[in-house]
Amino acid sequence: MQAWHFGGINYPVGGVGGIAISLADGLVEKGSEIRYKANVTNVILENGKAVGVRLSNGKEFFAKTVISNATRWDTFGKLVKEELPEEEKNFQKNYVKAPSFLSIHMGVKASVLPAGTDCHHFILEDNWNNLEKPYGSIFLSIPTVLDPSLAPEGHHILHIFTTAGIEDWEGLSRKEYEEKKEVVANEIIRRLEKKLFPGLQDSIVLKEVGSPKTHRRFLARNDGTYGPMPRGKPKGLLAMPFNTTSIDGLYCVGDSCFPGQGVIAVAFSGIMCAHRVAADIGLEQKSPVLDAGLLGLLRWLRTLA
């Protein structure tokens, strides 16, 4: 995750992981219980209503509401074992999965970075036609430029990533897969050496490479996708689904919902979902007439997308 640094936006000291830790601590302080390594495989439905979840170890948990942070493709393609609702068919008709990423995390000797090196870089060589092609452009973040405490003295952290589709990584043996990661990563590093940091390869003290398959496995995202993008000409953010779904008691949150991809957008989606659920279970005031009218209008708008 990038916390872009520009125009007064603050970078969290200690790294962006501190945001997730603070949120988790806040939930626990308010009486929540967080189950880690709890792989949900099913949303449990009774009479068409979501009433709980089933884990891969067979344990079941029941609740008044179920909130899915999985993508819409995973929620309605894997977790809900029912026929795809019409609203989700419409979503999949209008949106496609954005590609995933090849990510490289490196620890390097600080001497390879010239004095005054900026935190964020975007590299697109001479051909603009390569902008949206796999591996065509390179994003680079160096968080230790802003917070040196993240790395040992005399070193910097580089997070390098470029778009990549999972289809380019399927059907490989374990040996072929590891070799491909090295070949692709070394080519990306070579391009950075040529454009920004001569001698980068020799300065590396630690390197980890993640492919779209890595994103799929550890982030549990369909094909490792970064999120939805319009299949055709964008019709505006209101064409995206909101937190409610056509299944009573089931809500969605994250980049598959309004307002879409990005740290700020996803955080806003979470806030919206919290208020929606609180209103629906009686913790906040709501107007059933206005709610029904607004949700009906939004569903109609999405049929036009």
Side-chain angles (χ1 to χ4, degrees), residues 24 29 46 71 93 128 162 264 281:
E29 287 175 9
E46 287 183 3
T71 69
K93 181 180 72 176
W128 277 94
T162 181
I264 296 173
I281 64 176

Side-chain angles (χ1 to χ4, degrees), residues 54-253:
R54 183 176 298 113
L55 306 186
S56 57
N57 62 8
K59 288 186 177 179
E60 296 181 342
F61 296 89
F62 294 89
K64 293 179 181 179
T65 58
V66 176
I67 303 171
S68 173
N69 188 42
T71 69
R72 304 295 282 221
W73 291 281
D74 288 299
T75 301
F76 290 96
K78 296 179 181 178
L79 302 181
V80 175
K81 313 294 187 183
E82 301 284 337
E83 183 181 353
L84 199 64
E86 206 58 42
E87 192 171 278
E88 300 307 318
K89 290 180 182 178
N90 191 53
F91 169 78
Q92 295 190 15
K93 181 180 72 176
N94 294 319
Y95 288 88
V96 297
K97 288 173 279 189
S100 186
F101 287 100
L102 177 101
S103 296
I104 309 170
H105 290 86
M106 298 198 312
V108 301
K109 297 175 183 176
S111 57
V112 78
L113 270 62
T117 296
D118 290 323
C119 176
H120 296 293
H121 302 261
F122 174 72
I123 297 92
L124 177 67
E125 282 92 343
D126 301 324
N127 191 346
W128 277 94
N129 292 328
N130 292 331
L131 179 63
E132 296 184 9
K133 291 182 180 179
Y135 320 111
S137 54
I138 304 171
F139 298 84
L140 168 63
S141 175
I142 313 173
T144 41
V145 167
L146 301 177
D147 184 3
S149 70
L150 295 172
E153 186 176 353
H155 295 82
H156 278 293
I157 294 171
L158 273 64
H159 177 204
I160 309 157
F161 61 103
T162 181
T163 56
I166 199 163
E167 62 279 356
D168 198 29
W169 295 84
E170 300 281 34
L172 302 175
S173 67
R174 186 67 193 179
K175 182 173 182 292
E176 291 170 336
Y177 175 68
E178 294 297 337
E179 288 175 348
K180 184 179 179 71
K181 285 202 297 184
E182 278 299 298
V183 169
V184 175
N186 286 339
E187 173 59 19
I188 296 294
I189 294 166
R190 184 197 65 78
R191 290 163 63 187
L192 288 174
E193 277 191 313
K194 184 177 179 181
K195 285 293 182 181
L196 290 176
F197 308 127
L200 179 61
Q201 183 71 257
D202 291 336
S203 77
I204 298 171
V205 296
L206 176 70
K207 180 178 69 176
E208 292 185 348
V209 183
S211 75
K213 293 180 74 172
T214 312
H215 289 84
R216 181 177 65 184
R217 178 183 177 187
F218 290 100
L219 301 180
R221 296 181 65 86
N222 196 292
D223 292 342
T225 180
Y226 190 65
M229 60 183 186
R231 190 178 293 274
K233 185 178 179 180
K235 298 296 197 306
L237 290 177
L238 288 179
M240 295 193 72
F242 278 60
N243 302 114
T244 56
T245 73
S246 56
I247 296 177
D248 187 23
L250 177 62
Y251 300 79
C252 283
V253 70

